[in-house]
Amino acid sequence: MPKGILMVEGRPSSPARAEEFSHWYDEVHMPEVLKLDGFVSGRRLRPIDDDGTLVSLYEIDGTDLKDAARGLFTAFRNGGFTMSDAMQMDPPPVMRFLEVVTES
């Protein structure tokens, strides 16, 4: 059972770059995140009406979610991720670490 979720809301830098964004996110970025301690799976979702932000959900399994968050931010600061200008950065993606409190 995962202990938490990292939820990321983002979008391509332009509609014309959506395919490039998807390729980078699925083939480069998500695998890089999943190499970090505690990150066990990831999936990307899109709105059914094809309007709005894309949402990525990463399941985290570990004893301390803050350790996973620190690992993610450290990797970002230290160049551990291959970034792409196909991702919109203004405004930047919204990231939230969420702890599982109830599961059925």
Side-chain angles (χ1 to χ4, degrees):
M1 171 177 83
K3 306 287 190 232
I5 298 286
L6 167 60
M7 182 182 76
V8 182
E9 295 179 77
R11 64 177 68 227
S13 57
S14 74
R17 298 189 71 187
E19 187 174 324
E20 178 185 358
F21 171 83
S22 290
H23 176 78
W24 164 78
Y25 205 101
D26 297 344
E27 303 297 324
V28 177
H29 186 63
M30 190 172 283
E32 290 175 340
V33 173
L34 293 176
K35 288 180 183 176
L36 299 174
D37 288 344
F39 289 84
V40 296
S41 68
R43 63 184 151 204
R44 208 161 52 90
L45 304 104
R46 66 174 175 239
I48 59 172
D49 59 8
D50 203 31
D51 186 30
T53 60
L54 299 165
V55 174
S56 296
L57 300 175
Y58 294 93
E59 292 185 353
I60 303 167
D61 192 10
T63 56
D64 187 346
L65 294 177
K66 290 181 181 180
D67 282 345
R70 280 189 288 274
L72 181 87
F73 294 127
T74 298
F76 180 75
R77 280 192 311 273
N78 293 339
F81 296 131
T82 306
M83 299 307 290
S84 172
D85 62 359
M87 180 173 64
Q88 180 178 308
M89 293 302 285
D90 186 18
V94 174
M95 296 175 39
R96 294 186 66 199
F97 281 87
L98 304 164
E99 184 175 16
V100 174
V101 293
T102 304
E103 192 165 30
S104 57

